[in-house]
Amino acid sequence: MFTGIIEERGRITRWERTAEGGARLTIDAPRVTGDAGHGDSIAVSGVCLTVVEFGDGRFTADVMGQTLAVSAIADLGEGDDVNLERAAKVGDRLGGHIVQGHVDGVGELLQVRDEGSWRVLRFSLPADLAPLVVDKGSIAIAGTSLTVSAVGREGPAHWLEVSLIPETLTATTLGDLAAGARVNLETDVLARHVARLLALAPVQEGVV
């Protein structure tokens, strides 16, 4: 479990495909590896990965082929920066919102607008996720807990916007993104549970 508050920008120092169709990556991350242990969970740009090796300020994790297929982590390579967060401790302050590190889908950066010291980013939103995203609600983009500042639709295409303060632009990889970049999206787990409950609720006769 994570909070979406990024602790460190790490850098991928090694990326290699495995024979099973997955990948193994090594990330330079002196802060999050300070108390790392074998089997620990670290969110890498929104994807929960398990530490299999660590030392000298770096950690190595395996990525399954399924994860590569459904997330933007497949777009990364050696030299790329990633957002990192260690799993939350019981009793810690929840500075963001509940983030699982389970990617729901991938969005594409459609537009960047500078508004003074702020920057507004508009991302495409997969149609199946659109009902789970609301104005002023929470969403994790590339592992970063953000507040949705606008949602909309143009024809069949849905989109969402987030407004980023200077701290977020420098402390995460979001400030480096250009139009066309793909990012991992994780919707609010509470919204997912409500949607599931409503989908399974029995239809009562006479109730519209």
Side-chain angles (χ1 to χ4, degrees):
M1 194 70 68
F2 307 91
T3 68
I5 302 299
I6 303 306
E7 297 183 275
E8 181 178 18
R9 284 179 59 156
R11 178 158 295 176
I12 297 174
T13 59
R14 186 173 183 182
W15 171 279
E16 55 185 356
R17 287 278 188 168
T18 62
E20 298 79 15
R24 171 166 283 204
L25 64 158
T26 299
I27 299 174
D28 185 15
R31 181 172 183 181
V32 301
T33 56
D35 61 353
H38 184 83
D40 284 355
S41 294
I42 296 178
V44 178
S45 288
V47 179
C48 178
L49 298 180
T50 300
V51 175
V52 296
E53 295 177 5
F54 65 97
D56 298 324
R58 297 176 176 177
F59 74 92
T60 298
D62 291 322
V63 186
M64 295 187 301
Q66 173 66 11
T67 303
L68 294 175
V70 302
S71 75
I73 203 167
D75 299 345
L76 300 173
E78 294 179 2
D80 286 338
D81 284 356
V82 289
N83 297 324
L84 300 175
E85 181 191 357
R86 290 169 289 189
K89 294 180 180 179
V90 175
D92 279 358
R93 291 184 177 88
L94 186 61
H97 70 285
I98 297 173
V99 177
Q100 296 179 297
H102 303 160
V103 175
D104 293 318
V106 174
E108 179 182 334
L109 181 56
L110 303 174
Q111 183 185 96
V112 179
R113 301 196 311 273
D114 285 319
E115 298 188 358
S117 60
W118 295 65
R119 185 174 299 170
V120 178
L121 304 184
R122 177 178 291 191
F123 294 94
S124 65
L125 182 61
D128 60 323
L129 301 185
L132 305 176
V133 179
V134 298
D135 188 21
K136 304 302 186 291
S138 295
I139 191 168
I141 299 180
T144 307
S145 175
L146 298 169
T147 299
V148 177
S149 57
V151 292
R153 181 175 181 176
E154 296 179 1
H158 296 267
W159 54 263
L160 70 91
E161 288 184 349
V162 291
S163 300
L164 306 183
I165 61 175
E167 172 64 18
T168 304
L169 293 171
T170 58
T172 75
T173 60
L174 296 175
D176 301 333
L177 298 180
R182 301 198 317 150
V183 294
N184 295 318
L185 303 176
E186 181 183 334
T187 57
D188 190 345
V189 63
L190 298 179
R192 297 200 302 273
H193 278 296
V194 171
R196 180 63 172 167
L197 287 170
L198 291 174
L200 295 178
V203 177
Q204 297 182 20
E205 187 175 351
V207 176
V208 179

